[in-house]
Amino acid sequence: MNVEHFLASFISQVINELFGLAIQPEEITLQKTKKEFEGDYTLVTFPYIKASKCSPEITGERIGEKLLSTNPSIIKFNVVKGFLNLSLSNDFWLSEFKHICAQSNYGIKPEKSSGKQIMLEYSSPNTNKPLHLGHVRNNLLGYSVATILKTQGHDVIKVNLINDRGIHICKSMIAWKLFGNGETPESSGLKGDHLVGKYYVEFDRAYKKEIQHLIDNGTSKEEAEKKAPIMLKTQEMLQKWEAHDQEIISLWKMMNGWVYEGFAISYKKLGVEFDKMYYESNTYLLGKEAVQEGLSKKVFYKKMDNSVAIDLTADKLDEKIVLRSDGTSVYITQDLGTAIERFKEFPHISQMIYTVGNEQDYHFKVLFKILEKLGYQWAKECYHLSYGMVELPEGKMKSREGTVVDADDLMDGMIETAKETTESSGKVSDFSNEEKEKLFHTIGMGALKYFILKVDPKKKMLFDPKESIDLHGNTGPFIQYAHARIKSILRDSKTDINGLNVHDGLTLHEKEKELIKLQYDFPKILSEAANTYNPAVVANYIYDLARLFNQFYNECSVLKEPDLKIQTFRIKLIATTAAIIKNGMNCLGIEVPEKM
RNA sequence: GGUCCCGUAGCUCAGCUGGAUAGAGCAACAGCCUUCUAAGCUGUGGGCCAUUGGUUCGAAUCCAAUCGGGAUCACCA
């Protein structure tokens, strides 16, 4: 039984009895009492003064007195202006705490218990360059939201749609052919994705040089961009690729293979994974049937030049081309086709989530609207998990210009920072080398992941590479540290925690009560995070919990507490705290060490 | 120009389904380790919540306008 509901239904009865006002429990809003006042929950009395025909203060007094006399869990109340603050008894909170203890994974619903199946797409890299900070945000966000949805009992299918074809891929291939001299990851010692990325940058350099050369010889800029020889070669290569030219296909396979080897390493380090991979080289022709279907349903129309379009001006969007005049498809065509395919392939999915940056907000609005107009019922269950760009102090990152924060460098740098800090603390002298490496990875990646996930996904975020990510304060390691501290106490206690029982009638220390109250919120936090697709909700909650534990730790001793009943209670209390920290951090894809 | 998103402490961010004196962290300053891990805890300073108007008993929160920042409006992906 939810505490707010429990109180609200009592209050609705009381208000009805006292003032004759019929009010549903759901309409009563209770809020947590602010720190500076005494009490657990607060009722704002302003909405009821019309019915009570008294001042807000008197209204509060009357409701409070009635509640006190009818509800044994309420032991005290006070009224400040129009605010009625209610205090619940220690035993009430202790019995809530027992409920928390009784569940092995408090707040987390059993796997696949909701019966709802959701497909979530994330990552979606191009195979022409290595992953950068922007991809890191995408990957962490997608993985985290998937994990959070799983806590609600949903069956989540994580998919990755790899953009493995197109003109941008050919750019790296052409540059490698022209300037590569047969260089391979083995011969260069470069990670495969970095090697391919090097030639993507190389292409841009050569292209720009050719453009400048043409401009110097009197060609207009626009003309030069089209006529640059290297660009013509690239377009020729794309045509050959589409015509299944064996030589091009095998070059493509080889270079993509290098990229996949590189990605696999980065994904592993990031700790993300997928249930199914899609490749655009397989899906890029999809959607033409949907175009035909749309034409016959008169959703689309043919234009004078034979291209096919849809008019969305009535929906405050523009006209959108869905098939070129030469009959080839555009980006949105394959997105339409892919979506339709997926719902055929997985008939039980009830929701489709796309983790894509907010620069594509418009694209997804158009996509979902078209699907709706084509008559697909599930179109309204498609959701664009839109997130803000990661910006550097100098502005946006640009792959072609090399002004990106590379994902591998970033991760290695964080792990190195974690190593330095950890070693200087001198706490891990008894660790084996293997354990140390694991710990540095856990802490470094924890810092990075928390740094990115604690901010609201839809907001753009700033990253300054010159200021390394902090390990103190509101950070991943802060939370990991709180967890390690708890585990250290539990080890020293040398007791079987499951065998312990919490006694009634304890007097609760302020911080103990706060810990119970905050732990009690965990399931609500998870469902809120799931409903809003927002890992930051979990991140900020876990931080609050860790901070509260640290305060408790400073004020109350666990193992040195002489009263055994209290000691037992405290052991249970910190054990559940640790479990929630661990499960919460797991939602962010962050591991927590037993010792650090 | 149209549409969408964002403006909260020096910096990075919470709070936004309307409620009490707007919160954290970093940075600065001052304390706390013979006591379960100081990656910690406590305290001090720091705010016209972009501006103006409206709705309300009550607005950082809702509405409108204005100013600033960003994205997008391709037969690119």
Side-chain angles (χ1 to χ4, degrees):
Chain A
M1 182 70 175
N2 176 306
V3 178
E4 280 96 330
H5 284 186
F6 166 74
L7 285 175
S9 62
F10 256 95
I11 291 168
S12 80
Q13 267 179 43
V14 164
I15 287 176
N16 196 1
E17 282 169 32
L18 286 176
F19 315 128
L21 179 68
I23 182 164
Q24 291 303 309
E26 300 79 51
E27 294 174 69
I28 291 175
T29 51
L30 278 163
Q31 50 194 276
K32 290 183 172 186
T33 302
K34 296 216 169 199
K35 284 259 156 48
E36 36 310 2
F37 301 96
E38 193 188 354
D40 296 318
Y41 287 92
T42 297
L43 178 75
V44 182
T45 61
F46 289 103
Y48 315 112
I49 56 177
K50 265 188 191 157
S52 72
K53 299 186 178 69
C54 320
S55 69
E57 289 86 346
I58 306 277
T59 308
E61 290 287 346
R62 290 186 60 191
I63 298 172
E65 271 163 30
K66 186 85 178 171
L67 281 170
L68 195 62
S69 64
T70 53
N71 189 325
S73 295
I74 296 171
I75 47 153
K76 240 195 247 179
F77 75 91
N78 66 82
V79 179
V80 181
K81 290 188 267 179
F83 301 90
L84 169 62
N85 301 320
L86 302 165
S87 299
L88 294 159
S89 69
N90 278 343
D91 278 351
F92 178 87
W93 287 114
L94 278 169
S95 81
E96 288 301 327
F97 179 61
K98 284 182 192 169
H99 286 300
I100 295 172
C101 292
Q103 287 163 262
S104 57
N105 273 312
Y106 178 65
I108 295 175
K109 296 180 182 150
E111 226 172 290
K112 303 184 185 178
S113 60
S114 75
K116 188 173 173 184
Q117 192 177 49
I118 300 170
M119 180 175 283
L120 186 150
E121 176 188 303
Y122 72 108
S123 200
S124 310
N126 294 334
T127 56
N128 62 340
K129 54 177 191 271
L131 304 177
H132 60 66
L133 183 51
H135 298 111
V136 172
R137 192 177 195 189
N138 181 305
N139 280 280
L140 296 180
L141 179 62
Y143 181 84
S144 175
V145 169
T147 311
I148 289 167
L149 291 171
K150 282 185 187 176
T151 68
Q152 302 304 296
H154 305 323
D155 178 14
V156 184
I157 306 170
K158 299 193 286 285
V159 303
N160 189 356
L161 175 57
I162 295 178
N163 194 325
D164 62 345
R165 66 162 287 281
I167 193 86
H168 52 294
I169 310 295
C170 292
K171 286 177 182 176
S172 299
M173 287 160 66
I174 274 287
W176 183 84
K177 263 185 96 168
L178 292 174
F179 320 117
N181 295 316
E183 193 177 32
T184 65
E186 291 74 30
S187 75
S188 64
L190 277 173
K191 199 162 158 278
D193 49 340
H194 288 262
L195 178 67
V196 173
K198 179 178 141 188
Y199 287 100
Y200 185 65
V201 174
E202 208 63 50
F203 171 92
D204 202 54
R205 193 174 304 158
Y207 180 44
K208 280 196 174 130
K209 220 164 123 186
E210 289 184 1
I211 290 171
Q212 195 54 51
H213 185 75
L214 285 168
I215 291 174
D216 292 346
N217 287 328
T219 317
S220 74
K221 189 175 177 245
E222 210 173 302
E223 190 77 0
E225 282 173 359
K226 281 185 196 158
K227 291 281 167 65
I230 195 167
M231 183 53 94
L232 295 177
K233 281 182 198 155
T234 308
Q235 278 158 352
E236 189 196 335
M237 183 184 258
L238 181 61
Q239 281 164 11
K240 281 186 176 175
W241 183 92
E242 291 188 0
H244 309 287
D245 178 291
Q246 276 315 303
E247 193 196 329
I248 302 300
I249 296 285
S250 60
L251 173 65
W252 172 74
K253 281 188 177 161
M254 179 177 76
M255 290 183 72
N256 271 356
W258 295 344
V259 173
Y260 295 140
E261 281 171 30
F263 281 176
I265 293 168
S266 301
Y267 282 145
K268 183 154 193 262
K269 201 172 273 184
L270 267 175
V272 301
E273 60 202 11
F274 305 95
D275 301 306
K276 187 171 168 69
M277 305 294 253
Y278 288 90
Y279 298 89
E280 279 200 12
S281 52
N282 295 328
T283 62
Y284 80 106
L285 294 176
L286 290 176
K288 292 197 180 186
E289 271 177 51
V291 170
Q292 287 311 315
E293 189 191 329
L295 275 170
S296 64
K297 284 184 179 169
K298 302 244 161 63
V299 174
F300 301 151
Y301 51 84
K302 225 167 210 163
K303 305 223 295 181
M304 295 293 280
D305 60 4
N306 232 20
S307 61
V308 180
I310 181 168
D311 180 13
L312 295 170
T313 48
D315 297 287
K316 288 184 111 180
L317 301 166
D318 299 311
E319 181 187 75
K320 180 73 192 173
I321 297 283
V322 293
L323 205 63
R324 291 191 189 107
S325 49
D326 64 3
T328 57
S329 46
V330 293
Y331 181 55
I332 203 155
T333 321
Q334 49 176 305
D335 266 5
L336 288 166
T338 306
I340 294 165
E341 256 332 280
R342 283 178 181 172
F343 276 91
K344 274 187 202 154
E345 187 185 354
F346 293 91
H348 300 297
I349 54 176
S350 55
Q351 197 183 14
M352 177 80 212
I353 298 170
Y354 298 85
T355 313
V356 181
N358 65 8
E359 57 203 352
Q360 295 201 37
D361 284 355
Y362 180 76
H363 170 77
F364 280 100
K365 266 188 199 166
V366 171
L367 176 67
F368 299 158
K369 183 55 77 181
I370 294 177
L371 286 167
E372 188 190 314
K373 294 213 179 242
L374 285 173
Y376 292 101
Q377 287 302 307
W378 42 259
K380 59 183 184 300
E381 300 302 333
C382 289
Y383 180 75
H384 175 203
L385 176 49
S386 166
Y387 62 92
M389 297 290 103
V390 184
E391 287 178 12
L392 303 176
E394 15 345 315
K396 260 188 93 171
M397 296 188 286
K398 292 215 170 77
S399 290
R400 272 174 303 185
E401 293 165 21
T403 59
V404 292
V405 175
D406 178 73
D408 294 313
D409 292 349
L410 178 64
M411 291 189 281
D412 292 343
M414 281 314 302
I415 293 166
E416 186 57 32
T417 307
K419 180 179 177 179
E420 284 161 19
T421 309
T422 308
E423 284 186 333
S424 70
S425 80
K427 288 176 190 166
V428 291
S429 45
D430 58 330
F431 277 48
S432 72
N433 279 338
E434 203 181 320
E435 286 171 328
K436 276 187 195 167
E437 290 307 314
K438 172 99 173 64
L439 181 67
F440 303 151
H441 182 273
T442 300
I443 296 173
M445 291 306 295
L448 175 59
K449 290 179 180 183
Y450 186 86
F451 177 83
I452 287 173
L453 290 174
K454 79 170 171 185
V455 344
D456 187 335
K458 66 174 188 287
K459 291 193 177 176
K460 68 174 183 219
M461 64 179 291
L462 188 82
F463 177 79
D464 189 347
K466 288 191 287 292
E467 287 178 34
S468 62
I469 294 173
D470 222 304
L471 269 46
H472 301 270
N474 187 353
T475 67
F478 173 96
I479 297 166
Q480 291 172 325
Y481 182 70
H483 180 265
R485 272 178 146 179
I486 295 174
K487 287 297 181 169
S488 171
I489 298 172
L490 295 178
R491 274 192 303 275
D492 290 347
S493 78
K494 298 189 172 63
T495 50
D496 170 28
I497 297 143
N498 289 327
L500 298 176
N501 284 314
V502 176
H503 291 81
D504 290 316
L506 296 175
T507 308
L508 293 175
H509 184 276
E510 184 197 337
K511 296 295 174 192
E512 293 171 335
K513 190 162 146 187
E514 280 183 46
L515 271 172
I516 295 175
K517 283 158 74 171
L518 198 54
Q519 291 187 20
Y520 172 79
D521 287 340
F522 187 49
K524 268 183 298 183
I525 293 293
L526 286 179
S527 82
E528 187 195 336
N531 292 336
T532 57
Y533 310 96
N534 186 357
V537 171
V538 179
N540 289 309
Y541 167 82
I542 295 296
Y543 169 67
D544 285 340
L545 185 61
R547 198 159 57 95
L548 183 57
F549 165 75
N550 279 331
Q551 291 168 358
F552 163 81
Y553 181 89
N554 257 265
E555 291 181 35
C556 307
S557 180
V558 176
L559 299 179
K560 297 205 170 86
E561 169 57 46
D563 184 329
L564 277 182
K565 284 182 183 172
I566 295 175
Q567 189 192 84
T568 301
F569 163 66
R570 286 183 179 167
I571 289 173
K572 292 286 255 187
L573 185 66
I574 65 170
T576 52
T577 303
I580 291 172
I581 289 177
K582 185 174 182 167
N583 285 331
M585 291 292 263
N586 181 53
C587 287
L588 309 176
I590 301 175
E591 292 180 86
V592 286
E594 298 289 306
K595 229 177 133 178
M596 70 185 272

